C-alpha cells in the first residue's frame, strides 16, 4: 500500500479503534466498585432524592433497600461479583416486590444470601445456623447479607418466627 493511501486510511482506522474502545467501555466490562454501588443503584433504579437506604455487603453479594422516611414504598437493588476476571459488582435484581413490604425477601447466589425487608413484622433478631444472634432494629427496614446457604431464622419481639420468601 502506498504511503499516500496509508495516510488517508490511518486516521479512519484510529477513529474506528477509538469508537470500538468507547463502546466496550460503555458496556461496563469491569463492574461497579463497592464505593460507587449506591450511586449506581440510585441512578439506574431512579430512586427519588432524599430516600433513606439500608444496605449490606458480603464477599460476593451487595444489597440495598431504598425507602422514603414514612416507609410506605421501597426500591431494592442486588449486585454480585462475577467469577473470573472481575473488578467490581454487576446488577442482578432490582425494583419493588410486595414480599419486601410485609415479609422478608431472600436472594441467593454463589453461596451467599441477601435478606431484605421493610420490617413490617417487627423483626428484632436473626439467628444463624451456627447459633449466632444478630440484633435488628425492629422499627427500621433492614438488609442482611450472610455467607452460606443454610437457613437463617428471624424472630419478632414476641419470639414468633417470621418467614422468608425467595425472590
Amino acid at each position: 500500500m502506498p504511503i499516500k493511501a496509508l495516510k488517508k486510511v490511518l486516521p479512519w482506522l484510529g477513529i474506528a479503534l477509538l469508537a470500538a474502545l468507547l463502546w466496550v467501555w460503555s458496556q461496563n466490562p469491569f463492574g461497579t466498585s463497592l464505593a460507587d454501588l449506591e450511586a449506581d443503584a440510585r441512578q439506574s433504579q431512579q430512586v427519588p432524592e432524599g430516600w433513606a437506604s439500608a444496605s449490606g455487603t458480603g464477599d460476593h453479594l451487595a444489597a440495598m433497600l431504598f425507602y422514603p422516611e414514612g416507609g410506605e414504598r421501597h426500591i431494592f437493588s442486588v449486585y454480585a461479583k462475577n467469577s473470573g476476571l472481575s473488578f467490581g459488582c454487576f446488577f442482578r435484581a432490582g425494583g419493588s416486590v410486595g414480599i419486601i413490604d410485609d415479609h422478608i425477601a431472600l436472594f441467593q447466589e454463589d453461596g451467599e444470601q441477601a435478606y431484605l425487608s421493610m420490617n413490617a413484622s417487627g423483626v428484632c433478631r436473626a439467628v444463624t445456623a451456627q447459633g449466632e444472634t444478630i440484633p435488628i432494629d425492629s422499627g427500621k427496614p433492614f438488609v442482611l447479607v450472610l455467607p452460606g446457604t443454610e437457613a437463617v431464622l428471624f424472630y419478632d419481639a414476641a419470639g414468633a418466627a417470621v418467614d422468608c420468601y425467595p425472590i
Side-chain angles (χ1 to χ4, degrees):
M1 182 176 249
I3 292 190
K4 247 185 180 182
L6 187 62
K7 284 183 180 181
K8 287 184 178 184
V9 170
L10 200 56
W12 290 109
L13 186 62
I15 290 171
L17 182 62
L18 181 61
L21 184 63
L22 288 174
W23 179 81
V24 167
W25 187 261
S26 73
Q27 300 304 306
N28 195 11
F30 305 112
T32 303
S33 71
L34 285 175
D36 296 333
L37 275 186
E38 184 172 336
D40 184 70
R42 284 183 181 273
Q43 179 195 16
S44 65
Q45 296 289 322
Q46 300 174 352
V47 176
E49 281 189 44
W51 278 26
S53 68
S55 63
T57 58
D59 292 334
H60 180 74
L61 286 178
M64 291 153 280
L65 183 60
F66 303 100
Y67 55 93
E69 284 304 321
E72 63 273 356
R73 296 181 298 154
H74 74 274
I75 297 172
F76 78 96
S77 289
V78 178
Y79 287 75
K81 293 181 181 175
N82 286 344
S83 58
L85 185 60
S86 170
F87 300 106
C89 295
F90 296 86
F91 180 79
R92 289 292 194 268
S96 182
V97 178
I99 294 169
I100 293 174
D101 288 330
D102 300 320
H103 303 286
I104 302 169
L106 167 63
F107 183 91
Q108 292 181 303
E109 186 172 315
D110 289 341
E112 279 192 335
Q113 304 174 111
Y115 297 92
L116 304 102
S117 178
M118 289 299 289
N119 210 1
S121 303
V123 171
C124 65
R125 64 187 166 101
V127 179
T128 66
Q130 293 77 28
E132 177 188 1
T133 298
I134 302 168
I136 297 172
D137 186 339
S138 63
K140 291 186 177 181
F142 69 89
V143 173
L144 194 60
V145 177
L146 298 172
T149 55
E150 295 184 29
V152 175
L153 301 174
F154 292 89
Y155 298 96
D156 63 14
V162 178
D163 293 329
C164 298
Y165 298 95
I167 54 172

